[in-house]
Every structure is written in structure tokens, then in C-alpha cells.
Amino acid sequence: MLAPPLPSRARPGAVARWLWWVVALVVAMVVVGGITRLTESGLSITEWKPLSGTLPPLNAAQWEAEFANYRKIPEYQLLNQGMTLAQFKGIFFWEYFHRLLARLVGVAFAVPLAWFWVRGAIPTGYKGRLVALLALGGLQGAIGWWMVASGLSVRTDVSHIRLSVHLLNALVILAGTVWTALDLRELAADRYARPARMTTIAVITLLVLFVQLLFGAWVAGLNAGLVTNQWPLMNGRFFPADEWALRAPLDAIVNDPYVVHFIHRWWAWVAVAALILLARAAKRAGHPKVARAIHIAFGVQILLGISTVMTGVRIEVAALHQLVGALLVVATTWGAHAVGRR
């Protein structure tokens, strides 16, 4: 059956182009979030002010007030005693920039969405999907504060579990925006095009990649990248048997830095196998460019992951690892969409 024809005012191409700009902003936000974590800057702002927090401290008194709030939390009292105001401003910058970019993404999504909606430019069947993405963006802000709050009273850092929820929700938003933009691009080329379907190979690949991203977030949250600077061995051992023996199996899998690091580095090859199968399926479906993009993304990501470990989590390398991780999500979504086109 053919899909109903487009309303005369619908502009799927324009809506798709807008969504690609949103994709670029979300990727940038993921990278800045990674740098915020790598520089231990995430707890420098101890209050959640969605509107008034848009402006940074503008005078000496406001800077002293922010610094005084930071000095009340365990991270300062136990780890950063003696930090100067200048040093505080350094970590404040990254957390502030991350929050500012998040606000920018919200505005860049909400305002054009309202404009396209009023003008009737959104094709039939896409309004609900776009509203759902906007709602996930709002939820992302709440999750971000929920994450930060975990490190303000007892802990000296944020919960790695909450950090993973924050990162994975951002990547779900990224994948959903990419998928929707691709559907709309197809609709712009063919007014009777139908949305792509989710195939079995796509579901399996996305689930395998989800597990890898989950453990990657836990590696970041637990500072597990610092447990060794060796590859393929970990401090002369293949498997961290001593650390595994100290905890219950589930506790070790979720909370032990050595075990989490071990799973993340070797589950990567399961992800590679799944991605190769998805790329082959995309190529068979007539999309060789998609297949090449997937291969390039996971190849570079593997090299950056090894380099991150062997450089002792050097910030530049680790930030690139996070960037390519986000681009791998984009490429995988593209591949899943290509296989499911109809």
C-alpha cells in the first residue's frame, strides 16, 4: 500500500536539514560532557538554575559565592583542599559550557519545531516523534541534575550509574534524531516513501552497541581507564582474577573498575562483529557508503580506545574517543535505517 500523499504545505526536506543541525549540536554536547568528566569539572556548579544559571558569575562577589558553595562539598574537602579561585574558574568553565550547550540544544530544537508546526511544514505522522525527542531532551536536563546531586553530599564524584543514564539518554536522542532526519530525507525525495522499519540485524547490533556504550560510561564514571596503561594485558594479566574474587559476580561486573574495564575492552570485539554484519547487510541492500562509514567509525574507535589506555587517559585522546563513539552511533543508526528502508 502507498503512503498518503504529502500535504501541500509539508516541507520534509527543510525539517530534515534542521534536524541535521540538531545532530551536530548533540554530538558537540556529548564531547563537551566527556571533557567535563575528564577534567573532574562536573561538581563545580552545585545548584540547578535552568533560567538564571544561563549567565555565569559576572563580578568578584558572584565568583566568591560560587566558590564558597563548591568548598562545602566533599570533592573539595577531601580532594581539592587549597584550590585557588583561578583553578576553580578552570573547572567551572567546562561544567558551565556543558550546561550552556545543553540549553542551546533545547532552544535549537524547540523554537524551529514550533515554527515548522505553526506553518504546517511537518509531514503527517512525524509530530509525535518530534515531540517525543523534545521530551527526552527535557528529561536529559533532569537526569543531568540527578547525576550531579549524587556527588554533592557523601561522594567525591558522581554516581557512575547515573552518569551512564545521562550519557545513554543523550545517545538515544542522537540516534532518534538521525533516524527521523533520514526518514524525512527519503520523504523529500519520494512523497510516497514510508518510514524505515527496524530489522532483526539492526536490533541485535544496536543492543550489542548499547552494552558497549554502557560499560564505556561506567569506565568513565569509575575512572577505570586509569587502572592500567597496558594493552592487551592489564598490569601483566589477561583477566583481573584477584579483583573478581573480592566481590560477588554482579557487584564486580557493575562496580569494580578492573572488571568493568576488562569487559569494555573485550566486549568491543563483539560489537565489531555485529557492526560488520550490519555493514554487510547495508552493502547488500545497495548502500556501500553506509557500510564504509560503519567500518571507518569502529576501526578508528578501536584504535582510539587502545590509545586512550596506553596514554594513561590523555584528555585529547579520550575526548576524541568520545567524539568517535558518538559518530559511531550516528553511523550505526544510518546502517540500521539503510537496511530497513522500504
Side-chain angles (χ1 to χ4, degrees):
M1 294 179 61
L2 293 177
L6 283 174
S8 60
R9 297 170 63 192
R11 297 291 182 268
V15 178
R17 286 190 293 273
W18 155 58
L19 290 178
W20 287 120
W21 283 107
V22 173
V23 166
L25 286 173
V26 174
V27 170
M29 188 177 69
V30 169
V31 174
V32 172
I35 295 173
T36 302
R37 175 59 191 169
L38 289 164
T39 55
E40 303 288 349
S41 303
L43 296 177
S44 57
I45 302 178
T46 60
E47 296 175 315
W48 188 30
K49 299 176 180 178
L51 296 178
S52 61
T54 303
L55 293 176
L58 298 176
N59 54 50
Q62 291 177 352
W63 274 114
E64 286 296 342
E66 290 286 351
F67 194 22
N69 288 334
Y70 179 68
R71 291 198 297 268
K72 295 175 184 177
I73 69 172
E75 181 180 79
Y76 174 83
Q77 296 169 356
L78 299 177
L79 300 179
N80 290 333
Q81 279 278 1
M83 172 181 279
T84 65
L85 178 59
Q87 290 171 326
F88 171 72
K89 289 180 178 180
I91 63 172
F92 184 96
F93 167 80
W94 285 111
E95 176 63 8
Y96 171 75
F97 186 37
H98 183 52
R99 295 191 187 195
L100 184 65
L101 192 55
R103 291 179 174 94
L104 176 61
V105 173
V107 172
F109 197 101
V111 173
L113 173 60
W115 189 82
F116 283 125
W117 195 302
V118 169
R119 293 181 61 87
I122 301 175
T124 303
Y126 285 87
K127 289 181 178 177
R129 202 192 299 191
L130 294 170
V131 170
L133 288 171
L134 179 63
L136 283 175
L139 178 63
Q140 180 71 349
I143 293 172
W145 175 246
W146 175 63
M147 176 188 69
V148 169
S150 68
L152 298 179
S153 57
V154 178
R155 303 170 57 98
T156 59
D157 57 4
V158 300
S159 162
H160 67 288
I161 302 295
R162 298 188 187 189
L163 183 146
S164 67
V165 175
H166 188 52
L167 175 61
L168 291 173
N169 189 61
L171 295 176
V172 167
I173 294 170
L174 177 62
T177 307
V178 169
W179 189 283
T180 303
L182 290 168
D183 272 347
L184 287 165
R185 187 183 70 174
E186 295 302 316
L187 190 59
D190 177 5
R191 62 190 293 109
Y192 293 102
R194 299 168 65 189
R197 69 189 188 279
M198 188 66 74
T199 61
T200 300
I201 183 61
V203 170
I204 292 173
T205 304
L206 289 169
L207 286 175
V208 169
L209 184 59
F210 180 89
V211 172
Q212 179 65 2
L213 295 168
L214 173 65
F215 276 92
W218 288 354
V219 167
L222 292 168
N223 292 321
L226 297 172
V227 300
T228 181
N229 62 357
Q230 297 178 359
W231 192 91
L233 300 181
M234 298 176 62
N235 299 329
R237 299 173 295 168
F238 175 73
F239 179 74
D242 295 341
E243 290 76 16
W244 175 265
L246 292 174
R247 298 174 181 258
L250 181 59
D251 183 34
I253 290 171
V254 175
N255 295 309
D256 187 87
Y258 286 85
V259 176
V260 167
H261 183 137
F262 174 83
I263 294 173
H264 182 58
R265 65 162 56 183
W266 295 112
W267 185 263
W269 299 102
V270 179
V272 165
L275 288 164
I276 289 173
L277 293 176
L278 178 65
R280 292 181 66 182
K283 187 175 182 179
R284 286 196 303 270
H287 304 285
K289 290 183 179 179
V290 181
R292 285 196 294 272
I294 293 172
H295 279 94
I296 292 170
F298 76 66
V300 173
Q301 184 68 342
I302 288 289
L303 293 175
L304 284 172
I306 295 171
S307 299
T308 299
V309 171
M310 298 187 71
T311 59
V313 192
R314 184 170 175 172
I315 289 179
E316 300 90 333
V317 180
L320 282 174
H321 187 52
Q322 184 130 343
L323 168 61
V324 178
L327 295 178
L328 178 59
V329 171
V330 173
T332 304
T333 305
W334 187 18
H337 187 277
V339 172
R341 282 174 58 182
R342 49 186 178 174

PDB file of all heavy atoms in Angstrom, residues 112-123:
ATOM      1  N   PRO A 112      12.535  25.992  16.362  1.00  0.00           N
ATOM      2  CA  PRO A 112      12.192  25.600  14.985  1.00  0.00           C
ATOM      3  C   PRO A 112      11.024  24.609  14.928  1.00  0.00           C
ATOM      4  O   PRO A 112      10.230  24.660  13.986  1.00  0.00           O
ATOM      5  CB  PRO A 112      13.488  24.960  14.468  1.00  0.00           C
ATOM      6  CG  PRO A 112      14.563  25.567  15.305  1.00  0.00           C
ATOM      7  CD  PRO A 112      13.956  25.715  16.655  1.00  0.00           C
ATOM      8  N   LEU A 113      10.934  23.722  15.929  1.00  0.00           N
ATOM      9  CA  LEU A 113       9.807  22.789  15.955  1.00  0.00           C
ATOM     10  C   LEU A 113       8.488  23.554  15.993  1.00  0.00           C
ATOM     11  O   LEU A 113       7.556  23.239  15.238  1.00  0.00           O
ATOM     12  CB  LEU A 113       9.914  21.862  17.163  1.00  0.00           C
ATOM     13  CG  LEU A 113       8.708  20.938  17.411  1.00  0.00           C
ATOM     14  CD1 LEU A 113       8.482  20.016  16.205  1.00  0.00           C
ATOM     15  CD2 LEU A 113       8.908  20.119  18.684  1.00  0.00           C
ATOM     16  N   ALA A 114       8.392  24.558  16.854  1.00  0.00           N
ATOM     17  CA  ALA A 114       7.176  25.362  16.935  1.00  0.00           C
ATOM     18  C   ALA A 114       6.918  26.089  15.610  1.00  0.00           C
ATOM     19  O   ALA A 114       5.767  26.162  15.140  1.00  0.00           O
ATOM     20  CB  ALA A 114       7.298  26.370  18.081  1.00  0.00           C
ATOM     21  N   TRP A 115       7.974  26.602  15.002  1.00  0.00           N
ATOM     22  CA  TRP A 115       7.823  27.335  13.741  1.00  0.00           C
ATOM     23  C   TRP A 115       7.327  26.413  12.628  1.00  0.00           C
ATOM     24  O   TRP A 115       6.383  26.755  11.899  1.00  0.00           O
ATOM     25  CB  TRP A 115       9.161  27.961  13.363  1.00  0.00           C
ATOM     26  CG  TRP A 115       9.087  28.903  12.208  1.00  0.00           C
ATOM     27  CD1 TRP A 115       8.705  30.219  12.221  1.00  0.00           C
ATOM     28  CD2 TRP A 115       9.416  28.605  10.843  1.00  0.00           C
ATOM     29  NE1 TRP A 115       8.772  30.760  10.956  1.00  0.00           N
ATOM     30  CE2 TRP A 115       9.208  29.796  10.085  1.00  0.00           C
ATOM     31  CE3 TRP A 115       9.861  27.456  10.189  1.00  0.00           C
ATOM     32  CZ2 TRP A 115       9.426  29.861   8.725  1.00  0.00           C
ATOM     33  CZ3 TRP A 115      10.095  27.515   8.815  1.00  0.00           C
ATOM     34  CH2 TRP A 115       9.878  28.701   8.101  1.00  0.00           C
ATOM     35  N   PHE A 116       7.952  25.247  12.499  1.00  0.00           N
ATOM     36  CA  PHE A 116       7.509  24.298  11.474  1.00  0.00           C
ATOM     37  C   PHE A 116       6.077  23.838  11.738  1.00  0.00           C
ATOM     38  O   PHE A 116       5.295  23.626  10.804  1.00  0.00           O
ATOM     39  CB  PHE A 116       8.445  23.088  11.429  1.00  0.00           C
ATOM     40  CG  PHE A 116       9.763  23.339  10.739  1.00  0.00           C
ATOM     41  CD1 PHE A 116      10.967  23.085  11.388  1.00  0.00           C
ATOM     42  CD2 PHE A 116       9.802  23.816   9.433  1.00  0.00           C
ATOM     43  CE1 PHE A 116      12.177  23.309  10.750  1.00  0.00           C
ATOM     44  CE2 PHE A 116      11.003  24.048   8.789  1.00  0.00           C
ATOM     45  CZ  PHE A 116      12.196  23.788   9.441  1.00  0.00           C
ATOM     46  N   TRP A 117       5.746  23.650  13.014  1.00  0.00           N
ATOM     47  CA  TRP A 117       4.412  23.183  13.392  1.00  0.00           C
ATOM     48  C   TRP A 117       3.357  24.207  12.968  1.00  0.00           C
ATOM     49  O   TRP A 117       2.348  23.849  12.348  1.00  0.00           O
ATOM     50  CB  TRP A 117       4.369  22.968  14.900  1.00  0.00           C
ATOM     51  CG  TRP A 117       3.208  22.179  15.416  1.00  0.00           C
ATOM     52  CD1 TRP A 117       1.878  22.464  15.248  1.00  0.00           C
ATOM     53  CD2 TRP A 117       3.261  20.965  16.176  1.00  0.00           C
ATOM     54  NE1 TRP A 117       1.104  21.520  15.864  1.00  0.00           N
ATOM     55  CE2 TRP A 117       1.923  20.587  16.440  1.00  0.00           C
ATOM     56  CE3 TRP A 117       4.303  20.187  16.682  1.00  0.00           C
ATOM     57  CZ2 TRP A 117       1.601  19.451  17.190  1.00  0.00           C
ATOM     58  CZ3 TRP A 117       3.991  19.062  17.419  1.00  0.00           C
ATOM     59  CH2 TRP A 117       2.664  18.691  17.679  1.00  0.00           C
ATOM     60  N   VAL A 118       3.578  25.460  13.322  1.00  0.00           N
ATOM     61  CA  VAL A 118       2.609  26.514  13.013  1.00  0.00           C
ATOM     62  C   VAL A 118       2.423  26.663  11.511  1.00  0.00           C
ATOM     63  O   VAL A 118       1.303  26.897  11.017  1.00  0.00           O
ATOM     64  CB  VAL A 118       3.062  27.848  13.643  1.00  0.00           C
ATOM     65  CG1 VAL A 118       2.216  29.016  13.117  1.00  0.00           C
ATOM     66  CG2 VAL A 118       2.956  27.773  15.163  1.00  0.00           C
ATOM     67  N   ARG A 119       3.477  26.519  10.767  1.00  0.00           N
ATOM     68  CA  ARG A 119       3.409  26.683   9.308  1.00  0.00           C
ATOM     69  C   ARG A 119       2.905  25.429   8.591  1.00  0.00           C
ATOM     70  O   ARG A 119       2.764  25.437   7.360  1.00  0.00           O
ATOM     71  CB  ARG A 119       4.782  27.074   8.760  1.00  0.00           C
ATOM     72  CG  ARG A 119       5.243  28.455   9.206  1.00  0.00           C
ATOM     73  CD  ARG A 119       6.601  28.801   8.627  1.00  0.00           C
ATOM     74  NE  ARG A 119       6.577  28.819   7.174  1.00  0.00           N
ATOM     75  CZ  ARG A 119       6.238  29.877   6.431  1.00  0.00           C
ATOM     76  NH1 ARG A 119       5.887  31.003   7.018  1.00  0.00           N
ATOM     77  NH2 ARG A 119       6.253  29.808   5.105  1.00  0.00           N
ATOM     78  N   GLY A 120       2.640  24.363   9.330  1.00  0.00           N
ATOM     79  CA  GLY A 120       2.159  23.138   8.722  1.00  0.00           C
ATOM     80  C   GLY A 120       3.202  22.423   7.894  1.00  0.00           C
ATOM     81  O   GLY A 120       2.870  21.675   6.972  1.00  0.00           O
ATOM     82  N   ALA A 121       4.474  22.648   8.214  1.00  0.00           N
ATOM     83  CA  ALA A 121       5.555  22.087   7.405  1.00  0.00           C
ATOM     84  C   ALA A 121       5.937  20.666   7.818  1.00  0.00           C
ATOM     85  O   ALA A 121       6.709  20.009   7.113  1.00  0.00           O
ATOM     86  CB  ALA A 121       6.791  22.986   7.494  1.00  0.00           C
ATOM     87  N   ILE A 122       5.433  20.196   8.948  1.00  0.00           N
ATOM     88  CA  ILE A 122       5.802  18.858   9.432  1.00  0.00           C
ATOM     89  C   ILE A 122       4.890  17.834   8.768  1.00  0.00           C
ATOM     90  O   ILE A 122       3.662  17.915   8.878  1.00  0.00           O
ATOM     91  CB  ILE A 122       5.671  18.776  10.959  1.00  0.00           C
ATOM     92  CG1 ILE A 122       6.577  19.812  11.621  1.00  0.00           C
ATOM     93  CG2 ILE A 122       6.009  17.373  11.449  1.00  0.00           C
ATOM     94  CD1 ILE A 122       6.424  19.893  13.126  1.00  0.00           C
ATOM     95  N   PRO A 123       5.449  16.848   8.090  1.00  0.00           N
ATOM     96  CA  PRO A 123       4.619  15.851   7.406  1.00  0.00           C
ATOM     97  C   PRO A 123       3.770  15.038   8.382  1.00  0.00           C
ATOM     98  O   PRO A 123       4.101  14.898   9.563  1.00  0.00           O
ATOM     99  CB  PRO A 123       5.650  14.954   6.705  1.00  0.00           C
ATOM    100  CG  PRO A 123       6.867  15.799   6.581  1.00  0.00           C
ATOM    101  CD  PRO A 123       6.880  16.670   7.794  1.00  0.00           C
TER     102      PRO A 123
END
